[in-house]
């Protein structure tokens, strides 16, 4: 036994220690507990993986029987296979770097202990999700990261926009989670178990569905859950608003934890999805729609964190494209490389915001490459990685996805190529507006302290070399079938050219001819406004879902159901009781003469009534 339980336990202990005693601790001690717990988790995970290598078969540890009722038996089991190993390294490794960065970024904030206790709890639930050996324990971690996202996005809870964003994330994810819970019911009904080994082994014996059947229903419901957690169309709307939380929260959600959960769950359930071609095709096209929609929105945003938020949504769409065409290992490869460069983009953006005293509008930046050169240097590494410059980490995983997609659907492939160009364009746009030209702001920029830029330097190396160092498809080869695509030189040239075209176009528009963007946006008119306003999706939800629910609740549930019906019945019964009591109260006057008179009157009434009854019966016999 390798005590896998210690991997999630260390962050849980950090949460408990800082949550209970942190108010009395110094910030240094809080930092030591928070960062140390995640570092221990990383170290123990690495120790276990080295001891278990090469992990040809899953390593399972059962601790106790968790739930047992009739035919339902769910043990508390943690397991590690090669997919789990990759996710463990991403979650604990990137999570550790983000925790170190947060020490510097959050140092001046109030409730320092509260932030880090929630941060550690986030890690605990994500590690539980990754290590779970059955759907129900995975769902516990799934719900836990949803809770922590609510707590951390709404960290500045006195700020209305932050509390609203936290609520939005929580509610939207509940919609997806409802689909996931229904999928678990169908899985148990179909396979008689929720344990991964039993379910997936039984799924292998099921024939591939020629039309929609039980496998399709299960997969589509799992997809509903994944669209919520991994921010796909139509449930992506919470993720851009999640920028209301502190920047380290954005990095942890976008790079290492929550949004990767849906991708991981679909990949983990590959044995079921491969039996449902209709569901697989749906996954792929949901990914395409998400990638295109978010990428185009990213071109028009001016908040530097919002640009990178829509970038995350778009890159998640790329991952779903890969999953939908059966390129599971390519999708997970992009999870890994995306964790490197997206964590760097967000933390680098946080360094810019920190340097400019919380300024986030890129129109108030410019010329910062000479004022914060370390931040510029590391962000440039993320820039070329996400743009797909050859031999950077993003290039490897992007080309693997496009190669697999090309084999499946040329149309989908070309949409992916155009999206890659758009991605390179809007990230280059953010870099040119932030670091080049003349400084347009009013603050006095200053470089971040080493505790913030040191993790960025590590992520910069990984962004450049991570794709080469971590050949994920090779690692996952025993788990997933061989994927079509391979190394097609012509496809790689096209994909690389798309990224370079995007960079070049951004250079022309924001460096060579800086007046061009405004001219283009003016000429596009309503089309530009449509994209700038994010296709009015939030407004559509507000008009069709939010306002009808709120107004219906006020009119139907409150005014009719509560005030008129419930209060009317309760108050009416009370009024009737008061009326009866008021009448009977006159009989209790306290006067003996009055009581005697009532006795005589009652006797007379009784005699008259008895006589009337006797007369109606023909008299006494």
């Amino acid at each position: 036994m390798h005590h896998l339980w210690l991997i999630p336990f260390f962050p849980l202990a950090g949460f408990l220690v800082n949550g209970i005693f942190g108010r009395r601790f110094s910030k240094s001690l809080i930092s030591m507990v928070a960062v140390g717990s995640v570092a221990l988790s990383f170290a123990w995970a690495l120790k276990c993986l080295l001891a278990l290598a090469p992990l040809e078969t899953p390593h399972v540890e059962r601790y106790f029987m968790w739930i047992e009722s009739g035919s339902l038996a769910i043990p508390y089991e943690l397991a590690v296979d090669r997919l789990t190993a990759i996710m463990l390294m991403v979650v604990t490794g990137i999570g550790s770097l983000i925790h170190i960065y947060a020490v510097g970024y959050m140092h001046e904030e109030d409730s320092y202990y509260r932030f880090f206790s929630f941060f550690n709890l986030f890690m605990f639930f994500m590690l539980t999700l990754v290590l779970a050996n059955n759907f129900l324990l995975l769902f516990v971690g799934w719900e836990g990261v949803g809770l922590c996202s609510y707590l951390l996005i709404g960290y500045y809870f006195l700020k209305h926009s932050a509390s609203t964003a936290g609520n939005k994330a929580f509610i939207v994810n509940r919609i997806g989670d409802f689909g996931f819970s229904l999928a678990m019911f169908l899985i148990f009904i179909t396979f008689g178990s929720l344990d991964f080994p039993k379910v997936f082994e039984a799924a292998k014996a099921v024939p591939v569905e020629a039309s929609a059947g039980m496998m399709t229903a299960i997969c589509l419901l799992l997809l509903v859950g994944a669209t919520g957690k991994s921010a796909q169309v139509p449930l992506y709307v919470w993720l851009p608003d999640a920028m209301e939380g502190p920047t380290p929260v954005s990095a942890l959600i976008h790079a290492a934890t929550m949004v990767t959960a849906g991708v991981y769950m679909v990949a983990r359930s590959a044995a079921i999805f491969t039996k449902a071609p209709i569901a697989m095709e749906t996954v792929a096209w949901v990914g395409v729609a998400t990638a295109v929609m978010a990428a185009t929105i990213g071109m028009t945003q001016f908040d530097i964190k919002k640009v990178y938020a829509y970038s995350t949504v778009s890159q998640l769409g790329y991952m779903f494209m890969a999953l939908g065409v059966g390129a599971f290992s390519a999708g997970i490869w992009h999870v890994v490389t995306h964790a490197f460069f997206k964590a760097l983009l967000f933390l680098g953006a946080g360094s810019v915001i920190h340097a400019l005293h919380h300024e986030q509008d890129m129109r108030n930046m410019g010329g910062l490459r000479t004022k914060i050169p370390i931040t510029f240097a590391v962000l440039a590494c993320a820039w070329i990685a996400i743009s797909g410059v050859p031999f950077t980490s993003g290039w490897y995983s992007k080309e693997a996805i496009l190669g697999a997609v090309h084999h499946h659907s040329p149309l989908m492939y070309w949409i992916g190529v155009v999206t890659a160009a758009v991605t390179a364009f809007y990230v280059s746009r953010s870099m040119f507006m932030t670091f080049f030209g003349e400084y347009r702001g009013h603050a006095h920029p200053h470089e971040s302290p080493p505790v913030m830029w040191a993790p960025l330097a590590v992520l910069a190396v990984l962004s450049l070399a991570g794709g080469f160092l971590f050949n994920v498809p090779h690692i996952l080869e025993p788990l997933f079938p061989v994927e079509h695509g391979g190394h097609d030189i012509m496809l790689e040239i096209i994909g690389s050219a798309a990224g370079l075209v995007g960079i070049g176009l951004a250079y022309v528009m924001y460096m060579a001819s800086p007046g061009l963007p405004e001219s283009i946006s003016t000429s596009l008119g309503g089309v530009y406004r449509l994209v700038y306003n994010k296709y009015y999706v939030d407004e559509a939800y507000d008009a069709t879902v939010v306002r009808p629910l709120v107004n219906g609740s006020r009119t139907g549930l409150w005014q009719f159901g509560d005030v008129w019906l419930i209060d009317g019945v309760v108050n009416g019964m009370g009024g009737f009781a008061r009326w009866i009591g008021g009448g009977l109260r006159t009989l209790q006057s306290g006067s003996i003469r009055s009581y005697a008179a009532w006795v005589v009157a009652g006797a007379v009434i009784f005699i008259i009534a008895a006589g009337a009854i006797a007369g109606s019966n023909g008299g006494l016999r």
Side-chain angles (χ1 to χ4, degrees), residues 412-436:
M412 198 179 292
Y413 167 78
W414 284 109
I415 295 174
V417 169
V418 172
T419 303
V422 173
T423 298
F425 172 81
Y426 65 69
V427 177
S428 301
R429 168 182 176 265
S430 72
M431 292 295 293
F432 291 138
M433 291 185 70
T434 302
F435 292 102
F436 292 84

Side-chain angles (χ1 to χ4, degrees), residues 453-512:
W453 62 252
L456 301 185
V458 176
L459 289 168
V461 173
L462 292 172
S463 295
L464 294 178
F468 173 77
L469 294 175
F470 304 101
N471 190 332
V472 172
H474 176 70
I475 296 172
L476 294 178
E477 194 172 346
L479 291 178
F480 300 120
V482 176
E483 295 154 4
H484 298 287
H487 294 286
D488 187 314
I489 299 300
M490 183 54 65
L491 295 183
E492 291 179 353
I493 291 173
I494 293 172
S496 302
L500 296 176
V501 166
I503 295 173
L505 187 59
Y507 176 82
V508 170
M509 293 179 63
Y510 292 92
M511 295 293 294

